[in-house]
Every structure is written in structure tokens, then in C-alpha cells.
Amino acid sequence: MIPGCELCSSPGGAVLWQNDICRVVRVDEPDYPGYCRVILKRHAREMADLAPAERDSLMAVVFAVEAAVRDTLGAEKMNLASLGNMTPHLHWHVVARFRDDRHFPTPIWGAPQRDTPVPAERTARAAGLAAAIASRLAS
Amino acid sequence: MIPGCELCSSPGGAVLWQNDICRVVRVDEPDYPGYCRVILKRHAREMADLAPAERDSLMAVVFAVEAAVRDTLGAEKMNLASLGNMTPHLHWHVVARFRDDRHFPTPIWGAPQRDTPVPAERTARAAGLAAAIASRLAS
């Protein structure tokens, strides 16, 4: 627990799933339905700071969430990233990308490419994500 | 081998290290010395498409490169990302970030924050990266 660290002191979003080492939260970003973050519970800065077993456990969740998001939303491409320049507490972004999304094909942190509304059906599908993640991680 | 896939038909950069499943290449980006990509040799689109053993082997290389880059350059923060919206052939970006770099703290794909030259000493240190990666991956 690091004083002033946002991800030590708050969940960082609505929690969809958790275990002893990490939590999966929904990111409130209307342009990107199904956008999740997988957040390490303890404070660590880099993947290189984790022991191999902890690293593998965290990545197993990241890849399960990737698969659940893809299955649930039917993405054109999945984007995964661990950046943390502003909040250096390990967390993974898991984002479903579509040809018609706001930034495609640039990364979501780049310049917007268009301003078309998100299909309502995509947002509706994202509501099934918590169940899809739980199902993936139960097996 | 997919016709028209840039990473099926070319190395994608100067190869620093390789094994049966992936290669590590240097990215020619003067703003970011030590920027590497870890590229799966066979064509696959998503991490979710890999068998667990192949996925683990690829990530072991990604994390070894992360550690080697951090040790060699002394980064403020390491950034890891698998995006592939333009080139949907699995590859990981491994980027050392510094408080004085062109985009910090935004992702390197975001809007530039400043236009200061890269310290020559940082670029010089990156020359030792191939040896650092080989050393990490030999153990």
C-alpha cells in the first residue's frame, strides 16, 4: 500500500471478478464497451518485479479476460497494454477494437479518426462480460 | 505465412535475438532508444489463439526483454503492448519510458508533450541491449 497511489486506495472501476492477486474492473469509457483493466492487488511497478509464479497467475487472468471480451463482443482486434506512466501500479488494459471505433486503426491513446456513435448492440453485448469472465476463469 | 502480411514476409527490424517461436527486433525510432518488438514467427492474430505453452514461451521472452531493457537503460517506467490493429500478426512493443521523453506521461502513440533531444548517453547505452537480452535469455 503506497500512500497517494490511486490503485492502492481505490478499486479503479466496477469490479467484475477478483482473486487473491488481482481484480478485473470495467472501465467507464462509452467509446469502448467491454474495456477492462486487470489490476494487481499489491503495489508493484513492473512485470519484471514479479516472481514468475505471480507473473504467470496475473497473465492467466489477462489472457482469460482477452478471450472473454473477444468472445462476448466479437472484436476485429484485441489490444493489450501495461503502461502505467501516470499510475505506476501494475495494471493491464484489455480493449476490443473495431473498424468503426473512434480511433481505429490507431491505438486508443492516439488521435481520434472519426466520431461515429457506438452501435447499441455492442454496448448491450458488453453487459454479458462479467459472466463470460467468470465462466472462463472457473474452468 | 499469410500473403501481404508484413511480419510474415520481413523481419520487421534488426534482429537482436531469436529462437524457434519468436524474434526480438530493434525498432528504428530515435526518440525511443532501446525500443524493441518481440514478434511471433508464425502468423497468429491474438494471444487467445495460442496454445498455453506457446503463449508462455512468448511471454517469457517479452518479460526477459522488458527486464533487459530496464537494466540497460534505467527506465522510469516500462511500457508493454500488443496492439496489431494495422499489422494483425502478434508482436509485443517493449518501450523504456523516461520523464523527459517525447510523450511522457502519455503513451508513445499519443500527442507529443515536448521536443527535447534524447540524451546521447541513453542512446549509447542502448547499444548494449543485444548482449543484455542474450544474457537474460541464456539463464
Side-chain angles (χ1 to χ4, degrees):
Chain A
M1 175 99 183
I2 302 292
C5 173
E6 186 185 330
L7 293 179
C8 283
S9 61
S10 70
V15 177
L16 300 180
W17 186 91
Q18 59 184 314
N19 66 4
D20 286 349
I21 70 148
C22 65
R23 59 185 180 268
V24 181
V25 307
R26 183 196 309 277
V27 177
D28 184 17
E29 174 46 86
D31 285 331
Y32 292 97
Y35 185 168
C36 294
R37 287 192 191 108
V38 181
I39 303 168
L40 190 72
K41 285 191 173 172
R42 77 176 182 94
H43 188 94
R45 192 174 182 86
E46 307 286 4
M47 291 302 294
D49 294 333
L50 305 189
E54 187 179 25
R55 195 183 76 186
D56 293 350
S57 299
L58 176 62
M59 294 314 295
V61 176
V62 171
F63 295 133
V65 170
E66 178 204 25
V69 172
R70 186 173 70 158
D71 292 351
T72 304
L73 276 84
E76 171 72 20
K77 185 71 187 71
M78 292 302 301
N79 287 181
L80 306 176
S82 170
L83 307 173
N85 305 318
M86 287 197 268
T87 307
H89 174 136
L90 272 177
H91 60 281
W92 283 87
H93 303 264
V94 180
V95 194
R97 301 301 307 277
F98 294 86
R99 289 190 176 275
D100 63 359
D101 76 34
R102 188 163 160 75
H103 299 83
F104 198 90
T106 62
I108 62 167
W109 304 281
Q113 303 295 306
R114 65 194 62 81
D115 194 18
T116 43
V118 174
E121 179 253 354
R122 190 176 301 158
T123 304
R125 272 200 306 245
L129 195 51
I133 292 169
S135 168
R136 277 265 168 194
L137 285 164
S139 60
Chain B
M1 174 99 185
I2 301 292
C5 173
E6 186 185 329
L7 294 178
C8 282
S9 61
S10 70
V15 177
L16 299 180
W17 186 90
Q18 60 185 314
N19 65 4
D20 286 349
I21 71 147
C22 66
R23 59 185 180 269
V24 182
V25 308
R26 183 196 309 279
V27 177
D28 184 17
E29 175 44 87
D31 285 331
Y32 291 98
Y35 185 168
C36 294
R37 287 193 191 107
V38 181
I39 303 167
L40 190 71
K41 285 191 173 172
R42 76 178 182 93
H43 188 94
R45 192 174 183 87
E46 307 287 4
M47 291 302 294
D49 295 333
L50 305 189
E54 187 179 26
R55 194 183 75 186
D56 293 350
S57 299
L58 176 62
M59 294 314 294
V61 176
V62 171
F63 294 133
V65 171
E66 178 204 25
V69 172
R70 185 173 71 159
D71 292 352
T72 304
L73 276 83
E76 171 71 20
K77 186 71 187 72
M78 292 302 301
N79 287 182
L80 306 176
S82 169
L83 307 174
N85 305 318
M86 286 196 269
T87 307
H89 174 137
L90 273 178
H91 60 281
W92 283 86
H93 303 264
V94 179
V95 194
R97 303 300 308 276
F98 295 87
R99 289 190 176 276
D100 62 359
D101 75 34
R102 188 163 161 74
H103 300 83
F104 199 90
T106 62
I108 62 167
W109 304 281
Q113 303 296 306
R114 65 194 61 82
D115 195 16
T116 44
V118 175
E121 179 253 355
R122 191 175 302 156
T123 304
R125 272 200 308 244
L129 195 51
I133 292 169
S135 168
R136 278 264 168 193
L137 285 163
S139 60

